[in-house]
């Protein structure tokens, strides 16, 4: 009887788990998220080693579709400390791996609706580096203020319910 769990054991028994390396916290504040995609990333060896150390930044990152290929720009992956002259450029553009149908859908939606491709997070899934890519529309200043007011009101409701449950009000 063959045991097919060798790969799960090699990955530490965490089959299907996500080890998040970096998140783009400002994206949810600046954009309305419409749809989310998962894409693989074509990386060099020293980039993967640097990501395994938990070092990356998505602060100014964005994605574009050029000639039928999706590219991730401005993601900062610092040079690997123990790397040699073969180290990578920290802010080079990286190719994202998506199916052709997904790319065609993205091109159509971006062209029609004035939308942007924003990376939300970078993580390891089954030992492979993935990027959570969001199709998003930019928020205006008043939208951001409304979201903040809504969040503050919700927080106050939760506090009031907590005080009421403790018998403090």
């Amino acid at each position: 009887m063959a045991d097919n769990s060798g790969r799960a054991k090699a990955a530490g028994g965490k089959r299907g788990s996500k080890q998040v390396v970096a998140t783009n916290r400002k994206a949810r504040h600046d954009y309305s998220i419409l749809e989310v995609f998962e894409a693989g990333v074509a990386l060099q060896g020293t980039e993967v080693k640097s990501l395994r150390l938990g070092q990356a930044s998505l602060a100014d990152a964005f994605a574009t579709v050029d000639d039928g290929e999706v590219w991730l720009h401005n993601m900062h992956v610092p040079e690997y400390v123990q790397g040699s002259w073969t180290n990578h450029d920290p802010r080079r553009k990286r190719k994202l791996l998506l199916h052709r149908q997904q790319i065609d859908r993205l091109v159509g939606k971006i062209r029609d609706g004035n939308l942007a491709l924003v990376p939300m997070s970078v993580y390891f899934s089954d030992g492979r580096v993935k990027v959570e890519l969001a199709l998003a529309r930019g928020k205006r200043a008043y939208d951001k203020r409304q979201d903040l007011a809504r969040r503050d009101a919700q927080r106050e409701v939760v506090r009031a319910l907590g005080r009421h449950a403790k018998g403090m009000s």
Side-chain angles (χ1 to χ4, degrees):
M1 187 160 122
D3 184 20
N4 292 335
S5 62
R7 186 168 170 198
K9 288 180 185 174
K14 295 181 180 177
R15 187 136 177 119
S17 65
K18 281 176 35 170
Q19 177 191 354
V20 177
V21 176
T23 57
N24 190 351
R25 295 172 45 138
K26 200 170 181 183
R28 293 205 186 273
H29 177 70
D30 291 340
Y31 297 95
S32 298
I33 308 302
L34 304 176
E35 198 171 345
V36 178
F37 297 92
E38 180 182 66
V41 188
L43 297 173
Q44 296 176 353
T46 54
E47 290 176 314
V48 175
K49 290 181 179 189
S50 186
L51 286 173
R52 287 206 188 280
L53 294 175
Q55 301 175 345
S57 173
L58 291 172
D60 299 325
F62 63 96
T64 59
V65 181
D66 301 326
D67 298 328
E69 295 179 336
V70 183
W71 295 90
L72 182 61
H73 299 269
N74 282 350
M75 179 174 87
H76 185 267
V77 179
E79 289 186 348
Y80 183 55
V81 178
Q82 296 170 336
S84 62
W85 58 272
T86 59
N87 246 332
H88 62 276
D89 179 29
R91 287 208 182 263
R92 74 178 187 93
K93 70 179 192 176
R94 294 162 177 93
K95 187 174 181 178
L96 296 180
L97 309 173
L98 289 164
H99 292 284
R100 172 59 47 202
Q101 293 170 341
Q102 289 176 316
I103 294 172
D104 293 342
R105 250 182 62 211
L106 284 174
V107 168
K109 288 187 177 186
I110 289 171
R111 191 177 303 135
D112 292 345
N114 195 16
L115 303 175
L117 284 174
V118 182
M120 301 298 289
S121 64
V122 176
Y123 55 91
F124 282 94
S125 177
D126 290 334
R128 293 189 167 94
V129 179
K130 304 284 185 178
V131 172
E132 190 175 75
L133 200 61
L135 193 60
R137 176 173 285 121
K139 285 185 184 178
R140 295 196 171 88
Y142 61 84
D143 291 334
K144 294 177 191 178
R145 285 193 298 269
Q146 287 174 350
D147 284 349
L148 288 173
R150 192 176 310 120
R151 195 176 319 136
D152 288 343
Q154 183 65 31
R155 197 175 296 138
E156 188 58 39
V157 167
V158 169
R159 284 185 190 145
L161 287 174
R163 285 194 298 264
H164 181 72
K166 292 178 183 177
M168 297 171 80
S169 57

